[in-house]
Amino acid sequence: MSSAAPSPTPARRLPLAGVLRVGRPSDIWFKPALSVVVAVGVPNLTLLALGRLDLAMYTMAGSLCALYAHNLPYAARARALAWVVLGMLAAVAVALVTASLTSSAVVLVAVGALLAAAQKALCDATRIGPPGPVIFAFISSASLFAPQTLGQVPGHLALAAAAGAWAWLVGMAPGLVRPHGPERRATARALNAAAAYAEMSVAPSTAASAAASAEASAEASPTASAGRERARAAGAAAVHAAWQSLFATGARSEPRRALERLVVRAEIALAAPADTDPGRLRTWARDLRGTGPVPSVEPASAADELLGVEAERAAGRRPLTDRLGPLLPLALRTALGCALAGYVSLALGVGRPYWALVTAASLYQANITLTWSRGVQRVVGNLVGVLLFAAVAPLAHLGPAALVLCCLAFNFGAEALISRNYWLGSICVTPMALLITEFTGFQRPGELMTDRIVDTVVGALVGFAAAVAVTNRRAGDRIENALDTVERAREHTARLIAAERPAPGALDAARRSLAAALVDLRATADAAAGEWWQRAVPTERVLLAERTGHRTLATAVRRQGLHALEGTRA
C-alpha cells in the first residue's frame, strides 16, 4: 500500500460529447418490450370493457413489474419477480395509506422522497437491474397524490396484486419455450468477451511468438496495455456473470453442464489468449443465441468437469446489510434531491409536484459524472416527448380505446429504444406518463405539457444540485478496501498454486474469490473516477492490481490442469 498522502483532485469537467450518442440495442430489447405490452394491455383492456379505466393506475403498479429480471435464469427470475411485486405492493400501500390520512402536499412530498431513497438503496443493493428504482418511484409518487380513503385502499391494493400476479406469469412464460435462454445468453456474452480479449492480445504479434509479443507490447505501449487490461477485465466480468447465472439455475442438468464447459473455455481463453481461436469462441456464442442444442464441448480435463461444482461451493453473496452500507450516500442524495425538487415545484404552483420528484429520482447513478449524463438525457428526452404528446393528443382523445392503445404503443417504444440511449426511451415515456393521467378523464394538453416541462427542468436542476452537495466521501476508501481485498485474494491463490497438494476444491474456491474481487475492483474504480472533489484515483495501482491478479488467475487455470486447449485451437 502506498504511503504517499492522498491528494485532492479538482472538480472534473462534466461531459457533453457522447451523452446523446445512440448505441446498439440490447440483445433482448424485444423481451421487456413485448412483456410490458402484454402485462399492461390485458388489465387495461379489461378495465376499458368494464368502463372503469379510472382504476388503471392501480393495475399499472402491478403490470409494470413485468419490466424486471429479464436477464435472470427462470429459477432465479421466479423469486426476483415475486420480490419485485411484493416490494411494489408495499410501496403502493404506504403511499395510499398516507394519501388517505393527509392531503398536505408538504407531507406527501416528504414521504415520496423517503420512499424513493429506500427504493434506490434496495434496488442497487439487490442488483435487480433495469429499470431499477425509477418505476417504483413513479408509481409510489403518483399514488401519493391520488385522492384516497382508507376504505378504498384494500380494493386498490387487490387490483395491483392481481396485475402483479399476471406480470409474474408474463415474465415466466418464455421459460416454457426456451427454459435455458438467460444462461445461454450469459455464456454467449462470456465467449464473445473472451474472444475480443484474445483478438486484442494477439493482434500485435508479427515477428515473435504471440505470447511473447503480447507481453512485450504490454510494456512498450501503456495505452495499448491499459486497453488490453480493460478488455481482460471486461472478459473476467462477463465470465463471472456467466457463472453467477449458471449458479442461479438450480439443478445441474445436462444443458447446464454443457454451458459450464463453454464458460471454462472462456476462462481458458483469458488465461492463454495466444493459444485461443477467437473464431471458434464466436461460433459457439452464435450457436447459443438460437434455439438449437448447446454446442457439445468435451471436458479439457477432469478438473474441467468438476469446475462448476467447486465454483458453486465457493460462490457466496454478502448479506444485504453489508451491501447497503456503501449505498448510504446515494440514498441521502436521492432523499434530499427528491424532497427539494418536490418543494420547489410546489412553490412554483405546479399541480403535480411528484413529476419533479420522479425526475430527480431518475438521475442518481453511481457517481456525479453519470448522474450529470442522465440529467442531460432526461431533459432532452422529456422535452422531445412533450412535443410528441402534442402531436398524439388529438388521436388519443378520440376515445378511451384510442387512449389505451396509444399508451401501449408508447410502452413498447420506450423499452425498444431505452437500451440504445436513455433519452430515446424518455421520448416515449413522457407522452405515456401524460396519457396515464388522463385515464380518469381527458385534460387540457397545454396545462399538462407546461407542468411536465417545468417539473422536468426543476427536478433535473435541483436533483443534480443535491448530488453535488452530497459527495460520496467513501469512494476513495472503497478503492483502498477493494485493492486490499484483491491483494489478499491474490496472495491466497498464489500460496495454493505453490502448494504441492492443495485441498480438494481449495484452489478453485480461491480463484473464484479472486475473480469476484477483481470484478468488484473495476466497478469501484469506475464509480470513484466519476466523483467530484475526491482524492485522485490511484489508476496505476488499480491497473497493476488487475494485471497481477489476472496473471495469477491464468496461472491457477494452468495449475488445475485446464491447459488442454485443443477445444479452442484452430
Side-chain angles (χ1 to χ4, degrees), residues 8 88 109 118-119 163 180 182 206 210 226 240 269 339 343 345 365 408 497 509:
M88 183 68 79
V109 167
Q119 290 156 354
H180 301 287
T206 54
H240 181 68
Y343 291 140
S345 179
Q365 305 300 302
L408 291 177
I497 291 172

Side-chain angles (χ1 to χ4, degrees), residues 238-526:
V239 167
H240 181 68
W243 279 122
Q244 294 302 313
S245 180
L246 290 172
F247 299 158
T249 59
R252 295 184 73 231
S253 59
E254 183 52 39
R256 172 179 158 174
R257 290 175 185 271
L259 291 171
E260 287 175 358
R261 290 192 284 271
L262 289 171
V263 178
V264 170
R265 289 305 189 281
E267 287 190 312
I268 293 173
L270 295 177
D275 294 325
T276 296
D277 176 9
R280 179 69 60 83
L281 298 180
R282 293 193 185 279
T283 298
W284 287 335
R286 283 194 300 271
D287 292 342
L288 287 174
R289 299 290 184 180
T291 57
V294 177
S296 178
V297 180
E298 292 301 319
S301 70
D304 185 342
E305 185 64 29
L306 295 174
L307 181 62
V309 177
E310 300 300 337
E312 187 160 9
R313 290 174 182 168
R317 294 178 64 87
R318 289 185 297 165
L320 181 61
T321 52
D322 291 349
R323 284 176 273 148
L324 282 172
L327 298 172
L328 290 180
L330 284 177
L332 182 57
R333 283 178 182 176
T334 304
L336 179 63
C338 291
L340 291 178
Y343 291 140
V344 171
S345 179
L346 283 175
L348 294 176
V350 179
R352 296 173 180 81
Y354 62 87
W355 278 348
L357 189 157
V358 174
T359 295
S362 70
L363 302 185
Y364 299 115
Q365 305 300 302
N367 55 47
I368 291 287
T369 303
L370 294 177
T371 297
W372 160 262
S373 298
R374 179 56 57 88
V376 173
Q377 294 163 355
R378 177 85 179 191
V379 170
V380 172
N382 278 17
L383 294 181
V384 177
V386 167
L387 297 178
L388 181 57
F389 170 76
V392 172
L395 173 63
H397 288 177
L398 292 177
L403 179 63
V404 170
L405 292 177
C406 284
C407 281
L408 291 177
F410 285 129
N411 266 298
F412 182 89
E415 295 309 311
L417 295 173
I418 204 163
S419 63
R420 299 182 70 95
N421 194 302
Y422 183 82
W423 74 274
L424 285 175
S426 295
I427 291 176
C428 291
V429 170
T430 298
M432 180 186 71
L434 293 172
L435 292 174
I436 288 174
T437 65
E438 300 194 301
F439 281 160
T440 57
F442 294 136
Q443 303 178 44
R444 289 177 292 183
E447 180 180 333
L448 282 177
M449 293 164 62
T450 301
D451 284 355
R452 184 69 178 193
I453 291 172
V454 172
D455 279 338
T456 294
V457 175
V458 167
L461 291 177
V462 176
F464 183 73
V468 173
V470 182
T471 59
N472 188 0
R473 300 185 182 276
R474 298 183 180 184
D477 293 338
R478 290 192 66 200
I479 287 185
E480 295 294 335
N481 293 336
L483 284 167
D484 290 343
T485 300
V486 167
E487 183 58 23
R488 287 195 300 269
R490 191 196 66 79
E491 290 177 352
H492 178 57
T493 304
R495 285 195 298 270
L496 290 173
I497 291 172
E500 183 176 351
R501 290 178 179 270
L507 181 55
D508 197 64
R511 285 180 56 243
R512 196 63 46 207
S513 297
L514 177 55
L518 287 166
V519 171
D520 183 65
L521 173 61
R522 172 45 50 195
T524 301
D526 287 343

Side-chain angles (χ1 to χ4, degrees), residues 33-281:
L34 292 175
S35 294
V36 74
V37 168
V38 176
V40 171
V42 170
N44 280 4
L45 291 174
T46 301
L47 291 175
L48 176 65
L50 296 174
R52 291 305 309 270
L53 200 56
D54 57 303
L55 299 175
M57 187 189 78
Y58 306 107
T59 59
M60 290 284 285
S63 297
L64 292 179
C65 294
L67 292 171
Y68 290 87
H70 286 277
N71 279 319
L72 292 177
Y74 290 101
R77 186 182 302 188
R79 298 187 297 270
L81 274 179
W83 280 112
V84 166
V85 172
L86 290 175
M88 183 68 79
L89 291 176
V92 171
V94 171
L96 294 183
V97 170
T98 303
S100 68
L101 295 178
T102 180
S103 60
S104 170
V106 173
V107 174
L108 296 177
V109 167
V111 173
L114 292 175
L115 281 174
Q119 290 156 354
K120 171 66 176 173
L122 287 171
C123 285
D124 285 2
T126 57
R127 298 175 182 175
I128 188 61
V134 177
I135 300 298
F136 291 95
F138 168 64
I139 293 295
S140 59
S141 299
S143 300
L144 279 166
F145 288 85
Q148 202 79 205
T149 65
L150 274 177
Q152 293 175 313
V153 171
H156 292 163
L157 283 178
L159 287 172
W166 170 243
W168 187 93
L169 292 173
V170 170
M172 296 300 297
L176 298 175
V177 179
R178 200 163 181 250
H180 301 287
E183 53 266 40
R184 286 170 68 116
R185 289 192 298 272
T187 303
R189 294 187 190 109
L191 290 167
N192 281 326
Y197 171 65
E199 290 168 345
M200 183 176 292
S201 297
V202 302
S205 59
T206 54
S209 67
S213 177
E215 292 295 330
S217 61
E219 301 296 332
S221 173
T223 301
S225 177
R228 280 191 291 275
E229 286 301 323
R230 282 195 166 272
R232 182 155 54 178
V239 167
H240 181 68
W243 279 122
Q244 294 302 313
S245 180
L246 290 172
F247 299 158
T249 59
R252 295 184 73 231
S253 59
E254 183 52 39
R256 172 179 158 174
R257 290 175 185 271
L259 291 171
E260 287 175 358
R261 290 192 284 271
L262 289 171
V263 178
V264 170
R265 289 305 189 281
E267 287 190 312
I268 293 173
L270 295 177
D275 294 325
T276 296
D277 176 9
R280 179 69 60 83
L281 298 180

